[in-house]
Amino acid sequence: MTPEQYVQQKAAASGSSFYYAFLFLPPPRRAAITAFYAFCREVDDVVDEVHDPHVAGQKLAWWTREVHQSFAGQPTHPVMQALMPHVAPFDIRAEHLLAVIEGCQMDLTQTRYLDFAGLTRYCHLVAGVVGEVASSIFGRTAEDTLRYAHTLGLAMQLTNIIRDVGEDARRGRIYLPISELQRFDVKAHELLKCERPWGYSDRFQALMKFQAERAHWFYDEALSALPDIDRADQRPGLMMANIYRSLLREIEKGGFQVLHQRISLTPLRKLWIAGRTHWRSR
Protein backbone atom coordinates (compact mmCIF):
# COMPACT_ATOMS: atom_id res chain seq x y z
CA MET A 1 0.00 0.00 0.00
CA THR A 2 1.38 3.40 -0.96
CA PRO A 3 1.30 6.37 1.46
CA GLU A 4 -1.35 7.97 -0.76
CA GLN A 5 -3.53 4.86 -0.58
CA TYR A 6 -3.01 4.70 3.18
CA VAL A 7 -4.25 8.25 3.84
CA GLN A 8 -7.15 7.79 1.41
CA GLN A 9 -8.23 4.67 3.28
CA LYS A 10 -7.81 6.43 6.63
CA ALA A 11 -9.99 9.36 5.56
CA ALA A 12 -12.69 7.24 3.93
CA ALA A 13 -12.92 4.82 6.87
CA SER A 14 -13.56 7.63 9.34
CA GLY A 15 -16.99 8.43 7.88
CA SER A 16 -16.37 12.05 8.80
CA SER A 17 -18.27 14.96 7.31
CA PHE A 18 -14.92 16.30 6.15
CA TYR A 19 -14.53 13.47 3.66
CA TYR A 20 -17.62 14.51 1.70
CA ALA A 21 -16.23 18.00 1.18
CA PHE A 22 -12.93 16.59 -0.10
CA LEU A 23 -14.70 14.87 -2.99
CA PHE A 24 -15.35 18.21 -4.73
CA LEU A 25 -11.72 19.39 -4.71
CA PRO A 26 -9.30 19.22 -7.65
CA PRO A 27 -6.77 16.33 -7.29
CA PRO A 28 -3.75 18.26 -5.85
CA ARG A 29 -5.81 19.99 -3.16
CA ARG A 30 -7.76 16.79 -2.45
CA ALA A 31 -4.50 14.89 -1.94
CA ALA A 32 -3.19 17.57 0.42
CA ILE A 33 -6.30 17.83 2.60
CA THR A 34 -6.69 14.03 2.70
CA ALA A 35 -3.12 13.62 3.97
CA PHE A 36 -3.55 16.40 6.52
CA TYR A 37 -6.86 14.99 7.72
CA ALA A 38 -5.29 11.52 8.03
CA PHE A 39 -2.59 13.04 10.25
CA CYS A 40 -5.25 14.60 12.50
CA ARG A 41 -7.08 11.27 12.69
CA GLU A 42 -3.91 9.33 13.56
CA VAL A 43 -3.10 11.67 16.43
CA ASP A 44 -6.68 11.86 17.69
CA ASP A 45 -7.01 8.07 17.58
CA VAL A 46 -4.11 7.79 20.02
CA VAL A 47 -6.21 9.50 22.68
CA ASP A 48 -9.46 7.71 21.85
CA GLU A 49 -8.13 4.18 21.35
CA VAL A 50 -5.16 3.85 23.74
CA HIS A 51 -6.60 3.38 27.22
CA ASP A 52 -3.33 3.67 29.15
CA PRO A 53 -2.53 7.42 29.42
CA HIS A 54 1.19 6.70 29.80
CA VAL A 55 1.28 4.67 26.59
CA ALA A 56 -0.82 7.29 24.80
CA GLY A 57 1.60 9.98 25.96
CA GLN A 58 4.52 7.99 24.59
CA LYS A 59 2.76 7.63 21.24
CA LEU A 60 2.10 11.36 21.04
CA ALA A 61 5.74 12.00 21.91
CA TRP A 62 6.66 9.71 19.00
CA TRP A 63 4.42 11.77 16.69
CA THR A 64 6.13 14.95 17.88
CA ARG A 65 9.51 13.46 16.94
CA GLU A 66 8.10 12.25 13.62
CA VAL A 67 6.90 15.76 12.74
CA HIS A 68 10.34 17.25 13.46
CA GLN A 69 12.04 14.43 11.58
CA SER A 70 9.70 14.79 8.61
CA PHE A 71 10.33 18.51 8.27
CA ALA A 72 14.04 17.67 8.41
CA GLY A 73 13.50 15.54 5.31
CA GLN A 74 13.11 12.04 6.81
CA PRO A 75 9.45 11.04 7.20
CA THR A 76 8.92 7.41 8.20
CA HIS A 77 5.15 7.12 8.74
CA PRO A 78 3.01 6.78 5.58
CA VAL A 79 0.86 9.73 6.68
CA MET A 80 3.88 12.03 6.84
CA GLN A 81 5.26 10.58 3.61
CA ALA A 82 1.96 11.47 1.92
CA LEU A 83 1.76 14.90 3.54
CA MET A 84 5.28 16.26 3.06
CA PRO A 85 5.05 16.93 -0.72
CA HIS A 86 2.19 19.34 0.05
CA VAL A 87 3.63 21.36 2.93
CA ALA A 88 5.44 23.94 0.79
CA PRO A 89 2.74 24.50 -1.87
CA PHE A 90 0.03 24.96 0.77
CA ASP A 91 2.03 26.61 3.59
CA ILE A 92 1.59 23.76 6.07
CA ARG A 93 4.10 24.30 8.85
CA ALA A 94 5.46 22.07 11.60
CA GLU A 95 3.90 24.38 14.19
CA HIS A 96 0.44 23.55 12.80
CA LEU A 97 0.95 19.82 13.27
CA LEU A 98 2.54 20.28 16.69
CA ALA A 99 -0.46 22.36 17.81
CA VAL A 100 -2.81 19.49 16.93
CA ILE A 101 -0.61 17.11 18.95
CA GLU A 102 -0.59 19.57 21.87
CA GLY A 103 -4.39 19.68 21.83
CA CYS A 104 -4.57 15.89 21.95
CA GLN A 105 -2.07 15.87 24.82
CA MET A 106 -4.51 18.06 26.76
CA ASP A 107 -7.03 15.22 26.55
CA LEU A 108 -4.60 13.01 28.46
CA THR A 109 -4.11 15.44 31.33
CA GLN A 110 -7.28 17.51 31.51
CA THR A 111 -10.84 16.19 31.75
CA ARG A 112 -12.55 19.40 32.95
CA TYR A 113 -12.49 23.07 31.92
CA LEU A 114 -13.15 25.76 34.50
CA ASP A 115 -14.59 28.30 32.07
CA PHE A 116 -15.12 28.97 28.37
CA ALA A 117 -11.80 30.79 28.08
CA GLY A 118 -10.00 27.58 29.02
CA LEU A 119 -12.09 25.54 26.60
CA THR A 120 -11.36 28.03 23.84
CA ARG A 121 -7.64 27.31 24.14
CA TYR A 122 -8.31 23.60 23.60
CA CYS A 123 -10.63 24.30 20.65
CA HIS A 124 -7.99 26.57 19.11
CA LEU A 125 -5.46 23.72 19.07
CA VAL A 126 -7.66 20.88 17.85
CA ALA A 127 -10.00 22.82 15.55
CA GLY A 128 -9.04 26.43 14.95
CA VAL A 129 -5.57 25.55 13.67
CA VAL A 130 -7.05 22.76 11.57
CA GLY A 131 -9.42 25.27 10.00
CA GLU A 132 -6.54 27.60 9.19
CA VAL A 133 -4.55 24.85 7.45
CA ALA A 134 -7.63 23.69 5.55
CA SER A 135 -8.31 27.22 4.31
CA SER A 136 -4.78 27.43 2.89
CA ILE A 137 -5.23 24.12 1.09
CA PHE A 138 -8.61 25.15 -0.31
CA GLY A 139 -7.18 28.45 -1.57
CA ARG A 140 -6.84 31.62 0.49
CA THR A 141 -5.87 35.10 -0.69
CA ALA A 142 -7.40 37.46 1.90
CA GLU A 143 -6.23 37.78 5.50
CA ASP A 144 -9.82 37.79 6.80
CA THR A 145 -10.26 34.29 5.40
CA LEU A 146 -7.91 33.07 8.12
CA ARG A 147 -10.22 34.54 10.77
CA TYR A 148 -13.22 32.93 9.05
CA ALA A 149 -11.53 29.53 8.99
CA HIS A 150 -10.41 29.68 12.61
CA THR A 151 -13.85 30.75 13.83
CA LEU A 152 -15.55 28.09 11.75
CA GLY A 153 -13.26 25.49 13.29
CA LEU A 154 -14.36 26.62 16.76
CA ALA A 155 -18.03 26.43 15.75
CA MET A 156 -17.64 22.87 14.48
CA GLN A 157 -15.71 21.79 17.58
CA LEU A 158 -18.45 23.20 19.81
CA THR A 159 -20.93 21.17 17.75
CA ASN A 160 -18.81 18.06 18.36
CA ILE A 161 -18.80 18.77 22.09
CA ILE A 162 -22.60 19.07 22.13
CA ARG A 163 -23.02 15.87 20.12
CA ASP A 164 -20.58 13.89 22.26
CA VAL A 165 -21.60 14.88 25.80
CA GLY A 166 -22.65 11.33 26.68
CA GLU A 167 -19.83 9.62 24.79
CA ASP A 168 -17.22 11.86 26.40
CA ALA A 169 -18.76 11.36 29.84
CA ARG A 170 -18.40 7.59 29.47
CA ARG A 171 -14.67 8.26 28.99
CA GLY A 172 -14.63 10.42 32.13
CA ARG A 173 -14.42 13.72 30.23
CA ILE A 174 -16.66 16.77 30.48
CA TYR A 175 -15.89 19.55 28.04
CA LEU A 176 -18.82 21.76 29.08
CA PRO A 177 -17.23 24.45 31.30
CA ILE A 178 -17.68 23.95 35.04
CA SER A 179 -18.81 27.57 35.45
CA GLU A 180 -21.66 26.91 33.03
CA LEU A 181 -22.66 23.66 34.71
CA GLN A 182 -22.92 25.65 37.93
CA ARG A 183 -24.87 28.44 36.22
CA PHE A 184 -27.55 25.97 35.10
CA ASP A 185 -27.31 23.81 38.25
CA VAL A 186 -26.27 20.70 36.32
CA LYS A 187 -24.11 18.34 38.37
CA ALA A 188 -21.09 16.63 36.86
CA HIS A 189 -22.18 13.28 38.30
CA GLU A 190 -25.48 13.57 36.39
CA LEU A 191 -23.56 13.74 33.13
CA LEU A 192 -21.16 10.98 34.11
CA LYS A 193 -24.02 8.59 34.89
CA CYS A 194 -25.54 9.24 31.44
CA GLU A 195 -28.86 7.95 32.74
CA ARG A 196 -32.15 8.14 30.87
CA PRO A 197 -34.75 9.58 31.24
CA TRP A 198 -34.06 11.57 34.41
CA GLY A 199 -30.73 12.86 33.07
CA TYR A 200 -32.65 14.99 30.56
CA SER A 201 -33.84 17.49 33.13
CA ASP A 202 -35.06 21.00 32.39
CA ARG A 203 -31.73 22.18 33.77
CA PHE A 204 -29.84 20.04 31.27
CA GLN A 205 -32.05 21.25 28.42
CA ALA A 206 -31.37 24.89 29.35
CA LEU A 207 -27.64 24.22 29.54
CA MET A 208 -27.58 22.57 26.12
CA LYS A 209 -29.71 25.27 24.55
CA PHE A 210 -27.14 27.79 25.75
CA GLN A 211 -24.34 25.72 24.21
CA ALA A 212 -26.18 25.48 20.89
CA GLU A 213 -26.89 29.22 20.75
CA ARG A 214 -23.21 29.95 21.25
CA ALA A 215 -22.23 27.51 18.51
CA HIS A 216 -24.69 29.20 16.13
CA TRP A 217 -23.14 32.56 17.02
CA PHE A 218 -19.72 31.26 15.99
CA TYR A 219 -21.12 29.94 12.70
CA ASP A 220 -22.64 33.34 11.98
CA GLU A 221 -19.40 35.11 12.92
CA ALA A 222 -17.37 32.84 10.65
CA LEU A 223 -19.63 33.25 7.65
CA SER A 224 -19.76 37.03 8.04
CA ALA A 225 -15.93 37.14 8.09
CA LEU A 226 -15.45 35.26 4.80
CA PRO A 227 -14.45 37.73 2.05
CA ASP A 228 -16.28 37.40 -1.26
CA ILE A 229 -12.97 37.06 -3.10
CA ASP A 230 -12.30 33.70 -1.42
CA ARG A 231 -15.86 32.39 -1.18
CA ALA A 232 -15.65 30.16 -4.26
CA ASP A 233 -12.37 28.54 -3.21
CA GLN A 234 -13.62 28.02 0.34
CA ARG A 235 -16.63 25.98 -0.77
CA PRO A 236 -15.34 22.80 0.93
CA GLY A 237 -15.32 24.65 4.26
CA LEU A 238 -18.81 25.93 3.59
CA MET A 239 -19.91 22.36 2.86
CA MET A 240 -18.55 21.24 6.22
CA ALA A 241 -20.20 24.21 7.93
CA ASN A 242 -23.58 23.31 6.44
CA ILE A 243 -23.21 19.63 7.34
CA TYR A 244 -22.20 20.39 10.92
CA ARG A 245 -24.86 23.05 11.36
CA SER A 246 -27.49 20.65 10.03
CA LEU A 247 -26.32 18.16 12.65
CA LEU A 248 -26.61 20.81 15.35
CA ARG A 249 -30.15 21.62 14.27
CA GLU A 250 -31.00 17.92 14.27
CA ILE A 251 -29.77 17.67 17.86
CA GLU A 252 -31.81 20.74 18.82
CA LYS A 253 -34.92 19.40 17.11
CA GLY A 254 -34.57 16.12 19.01
CA GLY A 255 -34.38 17.87 22.39
CA PHE A 256 -30.64 17.36 22.99
CA GLN A 257 -30.94 13.61 23.54
CA VAL A 258 -27.16 13.22 23.57
CA LEU A 259 -26.49 11.46 26.87
CA HIS A 260 -27.42 7.93 25.78
CA GLN A 261 -26.74 8.09 22.04
CA ARG A 262 -24.56 9.67 19.35
CA ILE A 263 -26.73 11.55 16.89
CA SER A 264 -25.44 11.69 13.32
CA LEU A 265 -26.53 12.43 9.75
CA THR A 266 -26.69 9.65 7.18
CA PRO A 267 -23.92 9.50 4.54
CA LEU A 268 -26.51 10.23 1.83
CA ARG A 269 -27.69 13.36 3.63
CA LYS A 270 -24.11 14.57 4.10
CA LEU A 271 -23.40 14.05 0.42
CA TRP A 272 -26.62 15.85 -0.53
CA ILE A 273 -25.75 18.85 1.68
CA ALA A 274 -22.22 18.96 0.26
CA GLY A 275 -23.50 18.78 -3.32
CA ARG A 276 -26.14 21.42 -2.74
CA THR A 277 -23.58 23.77 -1.20
CA HIS A 278 -21.21 23.19 -4.10
CA TRP A 279 -23.74 23.99 -6.79
CA ARG A 280 -25.30 26.95 -4.98
CA SER A 281 -21.85 28.50 -4.54
CA ARG A 282 -20.93 28.28 -8.21
Side-chain angles (χ1 to χ4, degrees):
M1 181 184 296
T2 67
E4 290 72 25
Q5 290 170 331
Y6 181 92
V7 296
Q8 175 66 29
Q9 186 179 83
K10 186 76 176 180
S14 71
S16 168
S17 302
F18 289 78
Y19 181 70
Y20 295 89
F22 301 168
L23 299 175
F24 294 85
L25 284 166
R29 297 184 188 277
R30 184 166 66 243
I33 194 66
T34 300
F36 176 63
Y37 177 73
F39 167 82
C40 295
R41 282 259 45 95
E42 288 282 354
V43 175
D44 190 58
D45 286 347
V46 170
V47 176
D48 289 341
E49 297 177 2
V50 180
H51 301 298
D52 185 329
H54 178 68
V55 174
Q58 289 180 324
K59 286 182 175 290
L60 291 180
W62 182 90
W63 273 107
T64 297
R65 293 191 297 272
E66 174 69 5
V67 168
H68 287 298
Q69 184 173 306
S70 297
F71 276 82
Q74 296 180 311
T76 62
H77 194 282
V79 162
M80 296 306 297
Q81 291 170 348
L83 179 61
M84 290 312 295
H86 305 290
V87 298
F90 298 111
D91 192 29
I92 304 170
R93 301 189 293 274
E95 64 194 65
H96 294 138
L97 308 187
L98 295 174
V100 175
I101 295 173
E102 182 184 348
C104 291
Q105 287 173 329
M106 289 179 68
D107 278 328
L108 299 180
T109 59
Q110 188 167 350
T111 59
R112 304 286 191 278
Y113 291 88
L114 180 62
D115 52 27
F116 186 65
L119 180 63
T120 299
R121 169 62 180 167
Y122 170 76
C123 292
H124 160 73
L125 294 170
V126 300
V129 171
V130 173
E132 293 176 12
V133 173
S135 72
S136 295
I137 294 174
F138 298 155
R140 172 171 56 82
T141 59
E143 188 65 26
D144 279 348
T145 301
L146 201 62
R147 181 165 64 90
Y148 143 81
H150 188 275
T151 307
L152 181 58
L154 297 184
M156 292 194 292
Q157 185 62 26
L158 292 176
T159 302
N160 282 340
I161 289 171
I162 291 168
R163 178 195 64 193
D164 296 339
V165 169
E167 187 174 301
D168 288 331
R170 282 184 283 278
R171 292 172 172 159
R173 302 178 194 159
I174 298 177
Y175 291 97
L176 304 178
I178 293 173
S179 62
E180 294 171 9
L181 295 181
Q182 294 173 339
R183 173 180 171 183
F184 290 94
D185 194 28
V186 173
K187 311 302 182 185
H189 72 82
E190 294 176 334
L191 301 182
L192 294 173
K193 287 182 178 179
C194 299
E195 292 185 359
R196 179 188 182 193
W198 75 267
Y200 296 111
S201 63
D202 290 342
R203 295 174 287 109
F204 177 78
Q205 296 291 327
L207 169 66
M208 298 308 292
K209 183 178 179 182
F210 175 79
Q211 304 299 318
E213 288 173 349
R214 180 165 56 203
H216 280 301
W217 183 88
F218 275 98
Y219 281 114
D220 290 338
E221 281 292 297
L223 296 176
S224 66
L226 177 59
D228 288 340
I229 191 174
D230 281 344
R231 185 169 293 274
D233 286 338
Q234 294 298 316
R235 277 180 297 190
L238 296 174
M239 293 176 196
M240 291 185 286
N242 287 336
I243 291 172
Y244 267 74
R245 205 166 193 180
S246 294
L247 171 62
L248 178 59
R249 288 175 176 138
E250 194 74 18
I251 294 170
E252 289 177 292
K253 186 172 67 174
F256 299 103
Q257 301 286 297
V258 293
L259 290 176
H260 71 287
Q261 63 182 345
R262 191 177 196 266
I263 298 171
S264 62
L265 304 180
T266 65
L268 183 59
R269 186 172 176 190
K270 291 177 184 178
L271 185 59
W272 180 80
I273 294 170
R276 181 187 62 179
T277 305
H278 177 78
W279 292 107
R280 284 186 174 180
S281 302
R282 289 177 69 87

